[in-house]
Amino acid sequence: MITTKEFTAFLQDNTRQILPVENGNVLKLKAIDKETNENIANISYICYVDFAIGVTPLSTYNKTELLGLYDKSKQQFYYHRIYSMFEFNPEFNKVLEELGATHFKSLNRMVKKAIDKRLNSIYEETFVKRAIECRKDPEEEFKKAFMDKVITSFFETGTTVYGSDNDYLTKLDAYDYVKLVNDKEYVSELVDNYLSSKGSFVSDKTNLDINIEKHIYNQAKLKFERNIELNDEDEMILSLLKNISKVKNARTVKVVYEQGHNVVDLDLDVDQLRNCNYRNLVFRNYAFSSYAIKTRKEENYFRQMFRSEDNPFSDILVKGIKKVTYGRKTLYEVE
């Protein structure tokens, strides 16, 4: 069982390179500057080795993984989670907490914030603003994306802290982390490298080009969303699904459905309703598939009653839904 005192003493001892732990060893290796081939003062790689092969401690290792970095001048340990260390992890988590260790994610976040700042400065330039003003996109595509996003959000409880727009694929390696820990100004070089490098999926464009195009598209979309006009059936869909989503554990809701002179009570599957995206609803002439009906018997009855030339697939028209209840609670009702 490793203790915080043992691990701290190992990190601060200039002469000691190996710390034996259960089912492996922790190594401390000097960080080398690639340009000068000299040691980077006070910075060490801390590695985990599951077991060694050979007679000398550093001869050959079957598996070596980066555990973190140690900055001796600031007595700060930066760690990288190794999920293969099943035996070592539980006891080491406590050590990390007591040390006040910093996860590599904080270094990644620092780089991503710097990229954000640089890009936002570029987004304010005249040529980008003109491109946004001149952008022409099919409004129907924007509308479908907007409606799907809103409908999905009704049923999602999780939140994204940093947002997908800031998820830049920076691909930092261990040496980048060393340079960042040693000199925070190195972040500017990493930003330059990222923006000038080719994108992962578009070989002929740089990350700068890709992000500018993405920003222009997003701004054009936001401009549309601020002025969006929804028809009556759009409003019905949003009101209906929003109210159903408020009952977190609902698997089935009861529906009063009316079409022409016929009125029926239906049991509808909530998952089927929420998984039917806006594109499909519009394609079906603003209707849910009758597959949302809970039982085969009810579905067959519904199909026989409501199949017509105007509704050949016997879909559940949104405008035909008059009331939705869950237990004794009314979720939706057309006045």
Side-chain angles (χ1 to χ4, degrees):
M1 175 72 74
I2 188 172
T3 67
T4 304
K5 184 177 180 180
E6 289 171 335
F7 189 64
T8 303
F10 167 69
L11 292 176
Q12 295 179 354
D13 189 336
N14 290 332
T15 61
R16 194 175 179 189
Q17 288 183 291
I18 301 176
L19 174 65
V21 294
E22 187 177 356
N23 298 313
N25 294 287
V26 176
L27 304 183
K28 181 171 59 185
L29 307 172
K30 285 290 185 182
I32 307 296
D33 192 309
K34 290 180 180 179
E35 296 178 3
T36 64
N37 287 323
E38 295 179 354
N39 290 345
I40 298 177
N42 297 310
I43 307 293
S44 300
Y45 293 109
I46 310 300
C47 304
Y48 174 79
V49 186
D50 55 3
F51 59 89
I53 301 172
V55 294
T56 59
L58 296 175
S59 56
T60 306
Y61 286 91
N62 184 49
K63 190 173 187 181
T64 304
E65 297 183 80
L66 181 67
L67 183 59
L69 305 171
Y70 183 62
D71 182 352
K72 188 177 181 182
S73 64
K74 297 177 183 175
Q75 296 187 349
Q76 182 64 45
F77 182 63
Y78 298 84
Y79 71 98
H80 171 60
R81 186 76 66 191
I82 301 176
Y83 291 100
S84 61
M85 294 164 41
F86 296 117
E87 299 88 355
F88 189 46
N89 263 334
E91 61 191 62
F92 195 60
N93 288 339
K94 183 180 178 183
V95 173
L96 292 174
E97 184 178 345
E98 292 177 349
L99 275 177
T102 301
H103 197 286
F104 276 15
K105 285 181 181 178
S106 67
L107 299 173
N108 272 300
R109 205 170 298 138
M110 180 172 68
V111 175
K112 290 177 180 181
K113 284 183 177 179
I115 293 171
D116 240 7
K117 186 176 180 180
R118 181 83 64 85
L119 283 172
N120 283 326
S121 176
I122 295 170
Y123 296 157
E124 289 300 312
E125 294 185 18
T126 305
F127 81 95
V128 175
K129 291 185 175 181
R130 284 178 180 168
I132 294 169
E133 291 172 1
C134 298
R135 180 90 184 207
K136 300 293 182 185
D137 290 277
E139 291 191 354
E140 273 306 305
E141 289 303 310
F142 279 156
K143 181 180 177 181
K144 288 173 183 175
F146 169 77
M147 292 290 283
D148 277 343
K149 182 174 69 175
V150 173
I151 289 169
T152 301
S153 71
F154 290 155
F155 294 92
E156 287 187 346
T157 55
T159 57
T160 302
V161 178
Y162 299 106
S164 58
D165 287 345
N166 297 340
D167 192 18
Y168 309 117
L169 301 176
T170 48
K171 298 180 181 177
L172 303 186
D173 59 25
Y175 182 69
D176 289 325
Y177 291 126
V178 167
K179 295 280 281 183
L180 275 173
V181 169
N182 187 57
D183 180 10
K184 294 297 188 290
E185 295 301 318
Y186 181 66
V187 71
S188 181
E189 187 175 329
L190 289 175
V191 173
D192 291 337
N193 291 342
Y194 169 78
L195 293 178
S196 61
S197 62
K198 299 294 184 182
S200 300
F201 306 108
V202 188
S203 60
D204 59 335
K205 294 181 180 178
T206 65
N207 283 312
L208 176 60
D209 296 328
I210 293 168
N211 279 287
I212 287 177
E213 288 179 6
K214 184 179 179 182
H215 173 75
I216 291 170
Y217 173 81
N218 285 341
Q219 291 303 306
K221 185 170 67 173
L222 286 172
K223 185 172 144 186
F224 167 79
E225 289 177 359
R226 279 193 291 267
N227 301 295
I228 191 169
E229 292 184 7
L230 302 179
N231 61 36
D232 290 343
E233 287 167 311
D234 292 328
E235 297 284 5
M236 286 180 188
I237 290 169
L238 292 180
S239 177
L240 173 69
L241 294 178
K242 182 178 182 180
N243 289 337
I244 291 174
S245 73
K246 291 177 181 178
V247 186
K248 299 299 181 184
N249 299 319
R251 294 186 178 182
T252 306
V253 291
K254 290 192 175 295
V255 170
V256 176
Y257 183 81
E258 179 182 327
Q259 189 177 335
H261 298 294
N262 296 322
V263 180
V264 295
D265 292 334
L266 302 171
D267 290 320
L268 299 188
D269 185 280
V270 172
D271 283 339
Q272 288 285 346
L273 295 178
R274 76 178 189 177
N275 291 332
C276 188
N277 62 36
Y278 179 76
R279 197 177 298 267
N280 286 336
L281 289 170
V282 173
F283 175 75
R284 290 179 172 275
N285 194 26
Y286 286 93
F288 295 100
S289 168
S290 58
Y291 289 126
I293 299 173
K294 194 68 177 176
T295 66
R296 183 63 60 87
K297 183 179 179 180
E298 265 192 330
E299 182 186 345
N300 290 336
Y301 177 73
F302 181 86
R303 286 178 178 274
Q304 292 172 11
M305 182 174 290
F306 294 106
R307 182 181 288 117
S308 66
E309 187 176 335
D310 293 332
N311 188 9
F313 299 108
S314 308
D315 288 331
I316 304 167
L317 302 177
V318 173
K319 61 186 178 183
I321 297 175
K322 302 303 178 181
K323 187 175 182 180
V324 180
T325 58
Y326 179 73
R328 296 181 179 180
K329 185 174 184 179
T330 298
L331 305 178
Y332 172 85
E333 187 169 15
V334 177
E335 295 179 0

